[in-house]
Amino acid sequence: MELIASIGRGWGWCGIQPEEVVGENDFGNLMVRDMRGMYWRICPEDLYCRVIAEDRAALDAVSKDQEFLRDWYATALVEQARERLGPLEHGRKYCLKIPGPLGGEYGGQNLAHIQLTELIEASGSMAQQIEGLPSGSKVQLQVTE
């Protein structure tokens, strides 16, 4: 339930009403069923949370799409993170120190690991702060505890 609460705190502003996490990957991407039976993807490294399927049948179809699967598993990035940082401890995920939309590199020195609940809440907060800004805008993020 802690993860569901973190999803609500971090990403509730975009309309998700989380009910169950049905999938997760090593970079903290989540597939979440909401109270209405729709399925969302939370992608912390790219700072988005969006509906990927209107119902279970549509999610099953998405789950067979090769492009979606390549993006979901991010095999090369996960392997690079594992080599640089070692295996993940329970409850932790790999992440980008600076998310991609804020200019962060997808690899190298920008790789880290973090508690999943912290990743979900922090990425949701950052996404909300930059929502609607034109590409290339200068930002000043507010960090709160």
Side-chain angles (χ1 to χ4, degrees):
M1 289 308 286
E2 181 183 355
L3 182 54
I4 295 295
S6 290
I7 294 167
R9 283 190 298 272
W11 292 96
W13 62 270
C14 68
I16 189 172
Q17 297 174 316
E19 184 171 44
E20 179 184 12
V21 174
V22 298
E24 63 183 69
N25 72 19
D26 285 344
F27 263 84
N29 282 228
L30 302 176
M31 277 191 253
V32 181
R33 188 183 72 238
D34 75 3
M35 300 286 188
R36 296 164 292 179
M38 295 190 305
Y39 292 85
W40 298 65
R41 178 179 180 181
I42 297 174
C43 184
E45 70 270 16
D46 289 331
L47 300 179
Y48 72 76
C49 176
R50 63 176 71 123
V51 173
I52 58 169
E54 298 292 326
D55 57 28
R56 183 63 202 211
L59 180 65
D60 291 344
V62 166
S63 298
K64 294 175 186 170
D65 179 87
Q66 292 303 306
E67 184 176 330
F68 175 83
L69 292 172
R70 272 190 301 279
D71 184 57
W72 176 259
Y73 288 109
T75 305
L77 190 57
V78 169
E79 287 175 5
Q80 185 182 148
R82 191 173 292 123
E83 287 174 13
R84 291 184 71 83
L85 305 167
L88 289 167
E89 295 178 15
H90 179 73
R92 297 185 74 80
K93 298 295 182 180
Y94 299 119
C95 66
L96 300 180
K97 293 175 187 177
I98 301 171
L102 300 178
E105 174 189 0
Y106 287 81
Q109 296 295 323
N110 198 35
L111 294 171
H113 52 81
I114 187 173
Q115 188 72 28
L116 177 58
T117 53
E118 291 177 41
L119 175 61
I120 295 304
E121 291 187 39
S123 62
S125 176
M126 283 185 272
Q128 185 176 21
Q129 291 178 59
I130 66 168
E131 176 71 13
L133 292 177
S135 182
S137 295
K138 292 185 185 259
V139 297
Q140 181 177 14
L141 298 176
Q142 297 177 352
V143 179
T144 60
E145 294 189 46

